[in-house]
Amino acid sequence: THFTGYGLAALFAVILAVQNLRYGFYELFYLALSVTLLTLGGAVYTVVCRRRQLRAPGHLAILAALNAVMAGALLLADNTDLSYWCQPVLVLNILVLQLRHGILLSLALWAILAISVLGRTPALEALFTIMASLTLVLTASLYIWHYNHMAQSAEDLAITDPVTGAHNARFLDETLQKEISRTRVTRHPL
């Protein structure tokens, strides 16, 4: 999921870079190029840390940098609507990071997007853009929450007996392995 998310965001940024270079918008080309490099860096980091994805702290740093680049571009761009550039970043935050961190980062970028759009576009168009972006963030958050809930339910069903609710042999094996590992590290008797 991490690699695919970064890859799709990089593909989106490459397409933006090529189109902006083609039409001579060099500032936007360099912006898209920096977004591409950050997302490709995230993809490479995902491959390097594939064994410990959930504990890899680099995703937060990469996505914070990506959000900072997008926020800076939104606030500093002259007469340019970059709202559609933010859509992949809003979803990528939620897909890659823990849900709480992803939502906070996405809502911070969304707030900057809302401020930027309100200052540059007509009110009705700004309202549509703001609400569409918020809907995207909320939908992605709901999907990830539902997925996490289903995964936790499946894990609970795998380690408990459905009739009695008591833990089964799989739970015993997993717990025993953890305790044996802890005993070896702490050198305390099992």
Side-chain angles (χ1 to χ4, degrees):
T1 304
H2 292 71
F3 184 78
T4 303
Y6 280 124
L8 290 174
L11 178 65
F12 180 77
V14 165
I15 292 169
L16 287 173
V18 169
Q19 288 299 320
N20 285 305
L21 181 63
R22 179 177 166 197
Y23 292 112
F25 300 122
Y26 297 113
E27 291 176 6
L28 295 176
F29 166 73
Y30 291 122
L31 175 62
L33 192 62
S34 65
V35 169
T36 301
L37 292 176
L38 281 169
T39 52
L40 286 177
V44 169
Y45 181 74
T46 299
V47 170
V48 169
C49 297
R50 68 183 172 275
R51 299 253 188 250
R52 49 189 170 88
Q53 279 302 308
L54 298 179
R55 290 169 287 174
H59 290 298
L60 183 60
I62 291 167
L63 288 171
L66 185 59
N67 281 272
V69 166
M70 291 307 302
L74 284 169
L75 295 174
L76 300 176
D78 296 330
N79 299 325
T80 304
D81 182 19
L82 298 176
S83 60
Y84 59 94
W85 289 47
C86 294
Q87 308 307 322
V89 178
L90 291 171
V91 174
L92 192 61
N93 291 333
I94 296 168
L95 283 177
V96 172
L97 297 175
Q98 292 179 356
L99 187 58
R100 185 177 321 124
H101 296 140
I103 289 174
L104 289 175
L105 207 52
S106 289
L107 288 178
L109 182 60
W110 175 81
I112 294 169
L113 170 69
I115 291 168
S116 171
V117 168
L118 283 173
R120 292 197 174 115
T121 59
L124 189 59
E125 185 180 333
L127 180 64
F128 284 138
T129 302
I130 291 168
M131 293 310 295
S133 299
L134 183 61
T135 302
L136 182 67
V137 169
L138 293 176
T139 303
S141 300
L142 183 62
Y143 173 77
I144 295 300
W145 175 82
H146 179 68
Y147 177 79
N148 289 344
H149 179 71
M150 295 301 289
Q152 183 62 44
S153 296
E155 184 178 327
D156 291 344
L157 286 173
I159 62 172
T160 58
D161 181 71
V163 176
T164 63
H167 293 293
N168 59 18
R170 176 179 280 163
F171 178 78
L172 177 65
D173 291 341
E174 290 175 5
T175 305
L176 196 55
Q177 290 300 323
K178 288 177 190 175
E179 292 302 321
I180 290 171
S181 296
R182 185 174 306 155
T183 300
R184 287 181 181 152
V185 170
T186 61
R187 300 198 188 271
H188 291 286
L190 183 59

